[in-house]
Amino acid sequence: MNFSVPPSTLATNPTLAVLGFKRQLVYHLHFWAFIAVAPLVMVQWQQSHYLLSALLVLFGANALLVIAFLRFRGTYFLKGRLFPLFAVVCAAYSTHINGHAGLYWAYPAATALFFLLPLREAIGSNIVFVVVMAVVSFLRFPEADFWRITFSLGLTCLFAMIFAWLVGKLQQELTRLATTDPLTGCLNRSQLADILNGQIQMRERYERVSSLILLDLDYFKTINDQWGHLAGDKVLTEMALRLRSRLRESDQLFRIGGEEFMIVLPETRQKDADVLANQLLTSISARPFQEDIKVTASASVAEVSKGETWSVWLNRADQALYEAKSRGRNQVVNAARPLPVVGRGAEDMPDSASG
């Protein structure tokens, strides 16, 4: 898991914002775990519990490593998997030699696992945790205490699991709401820069080309004026369904304006994207929407060029779409490739479009 995310990006990308909150959670849990455990090292050493003191030192060292990796490298050291190992061993051994004084630390440790690990790993770790603590309690305490400890620790883990599961579902739903258009279910502009940058990186590193299609409905205002906004919303919803039915699983469909859609096509040359764009326009005009609303669309196609930014790439497509509109609509225009320029000034070269 990589937590290295610029703050400016967190502000505009909901998915990365959730990742940023997880980073803070992991950071603070390990920080306060270290603060809590550090004094116990000396306490156990003074009581001649040298092995437990050494285990607590390892626990604290792991916490410091997690904190250091988060702060300086933006990564989660060993994905947090040493925490449950040390938590189980330390809590079980401390309970064995210290009785109830060691048992009390098992509850916060078991709860913390659900915030530090993926849910399935946390469940598995806690099952092991409860079983180990049950065995130690059975050997160390009277039978009545054994049952109380086992059930109370098990219920604590169960409640923490339910809470973590619900929080995870809430995060997924909030992310979905923040990253998709509520009317059509398409991705919205919050994901646009990241996805286009991802395709640019594939182009730069592995010479894998990608193309995008901009598609805009013709005279959509007339639809709203003549049939009403509810009919217009139904047209947009059906439009998204028609477009999605022609796309691959790897393709990504955006709604980036009122009646404007964008399709990102990984591993696709411009000529192949042009074929798809023409097929999409044909499928749009072939049969009416809502039984009697005839719709056409204009489109543009642009293949990413080496060295250009996502905004330049999108701007080339946008200019080509404007040309498709000015030529009479209901057609596809291919964006002209940027001319290679030696030296400075390449970024300032004007873009042009050709059919």
Side-chain angles (χ1 to χ4, degrees), residues 89-90 112 138 151 154 156-157 195 200 211 226 231 255 296-297 303 330 352:
V89 173
C90 291
F138 181 79
F151 277 98
T156 299
C157 294
I195 289 177
I200 288 172
S211 297
Q226 185 173 351
R255 182 187 176 198
T296 63
E303 179 184 312
N330 193 26
S352 59

Side-chain angles (χ1 to χ4, degrees), residues 9 12 40 54 137 205 210 231 238 240 256 261 264 269 278 298 300:
T9 305
T12 59
L40 296 179
S137 300
R205 296 178 182 177
S210 300
E238 186 177 342
I256 58 175
F261 295 84
V264 179
R269 291 284 182 184
N278 280 282
S298 303
S300 65

Side-chain angles (χ1 to χ4, degrees), residues 32-95:
W32 291 109
F34 175 78
I35 295 298
V37 165
L40 296 179
V41 175
M42 295 304 301
V43 171
Q44 296 302 322
W45 185 271
Q46 290 174 354
Q47 294 178 0
S48 300
H49 298 152
Y50 302 121
L51 178 57
L52 180 57
S53 182
L55 290 172
L56 293 173
V57 168
L58 292 176
F59 185 93
N62 173 68
L64 288 177
L65 283 172
V66 169
I67 293 170
F69 270 67
L70 283 175
R71 178 172 290 275
F72 299 111
R73 299 186 61 179
T75 57
Y76 194 5
F77 178 66
L78 296 181
K79 297 183 179 180
R81 292 194 175 99
L82 287 181
F83 188 98
L85 175 63
F86 288 129
V88 171
V89 173
C90 291
Y93 185 58
S94 181
T95 301

Side-chain angles (χ1 to χ4, degrees), residues 111-129:
T111 304
L113 295 184
F114 286 104
F115 298 94
L116 298 175
L117 298 174
L119 186 59
R120 289 186 178 181
E121 291 186 24
I123 292 173
S125 298
N126 270 282
I127 290 174
V128 174
F129 202 163

Side-chain angles (χ1 to χ4, degrees), residues 139-199:
L139 298 175
R140 185 69 171 77
F141 304 114
E143 183 177 350
D145 284 354
F146 157 72
W147 288 113
R148 292 189 186 97
I149 293 167
T150 302
F151 277 98
S152 64
L153 184 59
L155 284 174
T156 299
C157 294
L158 178 63
F159 295 154
M161 179 194 71
I162 293 172
F163 179 76
W165 176 74
L166 290 174
V167 169
K169 297 294 286 186
L170 179 61
Q171 288 178 343
Q172 291 176 4
E173 182 63 16
L174 290 176
T175 301
R176 185 189 68 81
L177 292 173
T179 57
T180 58
D181 171 51
L183 178 64
T184 62
C186 302
L187 293 171
N188 61 27
R189 296 180 75 89
S190 68
Q191 302 288 285
L192 188 147
D194 287 329
I195 289 177
L196 292 185
N197 276 328
Q199 298 306 313

Side-chain angles (χ1 to χ4, degrees), residues 8 10 43 60 65 127 181 238 243 267 272 277 329-330 332:
S8 59
L10 293 178
V43 171
L65 283 172
I127 290 174
D181 171 51
E238 186 177 342
L243 294 177
E267 308 280 349
D272 298 318
R329 305 175 191 266
N330 193 26
V332 179

Side-chain angles (χ1 to χ4, degrees), residues 244-298:
R244 203 175 278 118
S245 67
R246 304 292 301 240
L247 301 180
R248 303 167 300 182
E249 187 175 345
S250 60
D251 300 334
Q252 292 167 305
L253 177 63
F254 290 79
R255 182 187 176 198
I256 58 175
E259 66 274 13
E260 187 172 359
F261 295 84
M262 183 182 79
I263 304 168
V264 179
L265 305 169
E267 308 280 349
T268 305
R269 291 284 182 184
Q270 183 159 311
K271 62 179 181 179
D272 298 318
D274 176 67
V275 172
L276 174 62
N278 280 282
Q279 291 174 348
L280 292 175
L281 295 195
T282 300
S283 69
I284 291 169
S285 59
R287 68 180 192 275
F289 288 70
Q290 301 297 304
E291 297 182 357
D292 55 355
I293 303 177
K294 293 184 179 180
V295 178
T296 63
S298 303

